[in-house]
Amino acid sequence: TNNDGKIEYTEFIAAAMDHRLQRNESLCWRAFKAFDKDDDGKITLSELKQVLKDDELQQEVPSSRSSSFYFDAMDTDGNGEVS
């Protein structure tokens, strides 16, 4: 990480996708864009919370973990953004 307070696209891929998905750049980019609600090239905690409110997704995400837990895992440089 570069400690700029943002999660770079590559940091997002490393934290959020398994090895097979990393090989499929197009799929990874579409997944990133699904979280990047304002299309600014970054994912904020607010955007992550917005996506995790989806009824279907809530069934898949362990309820014991908060959106902050997932965001902190991706925001490796601690800047409050994933880009």
Side-chain angles (χ1 to χ4, degrees), residues 22-35:
Q22 287 181 21
R23 293 184 212 171
N24 189 334
E25 177 92 19
S26 176
L27 179 58
C28 291
W29 182 246
R30 288 194 317 254
F32 181 85
K33 297 301 283 179
F35 286 90

Side-chain angles (χ1 to χ4, degrees), residues 49-68:
K49 286 180 179 181
Q50 189 177 358
V51 171
L52 292 179
K53 285 182 182 179
D54 179 87
D55 290 336
E56 286 184 37
L57 189 57
Q58 283 188 359
Q59 295 175 19
E60 301 296 327
V61 176
S63 60
S64 62
R65 296 196 172 146
S66 70
S67 53
S68 294

Side-chain angles (χ1 to χ4, degrees), residues 2-53:
N2 58 9
N3 293 323
D4 68 352
K6 300 176 185 171
I7 298 175
E8 303 295 334
Y9 175 67
T10 54
E11 293 168 332
F12 172 82
I13 295 300
M17 305 295 169
D18 70 22
H19 186 66
R20 279 188 319 208
L21 291 180
Q22 287 181 21
R23 293 184 212 171
N24 189 334
E25 177 92 19
S26 176
L27 179 58
C28 291
W29 182 246
R30 288 194 317 254
F32 181 85
K33 297 301 283 179
F35 286 90
D36 182 16
K37 294 296 189 184
D38 63 4
D39 200 29
D40 67 351
K42 302 171 196 145
I43 300 170
T44 63
L45 179 56
S46 174
E47 289 171 321
L48 179 63
K49 286 180 179 181
Q50 189 177 358
V51 171
L52 292 179
K53 285 182 182 179

Side-chain angles (χ1 to χ4, degrees), residues 7 11-12 15-16 43 48 69-77 82:
I7 298 175
E11 293 168 332
F12 172 82
I43 300 170
L48 179 63
F69 172 86
Y70 295 106
F71 188 81
D72 290 345
M74 292 185 290
D75 184 14
T76 57
D77 62 10
V82 179

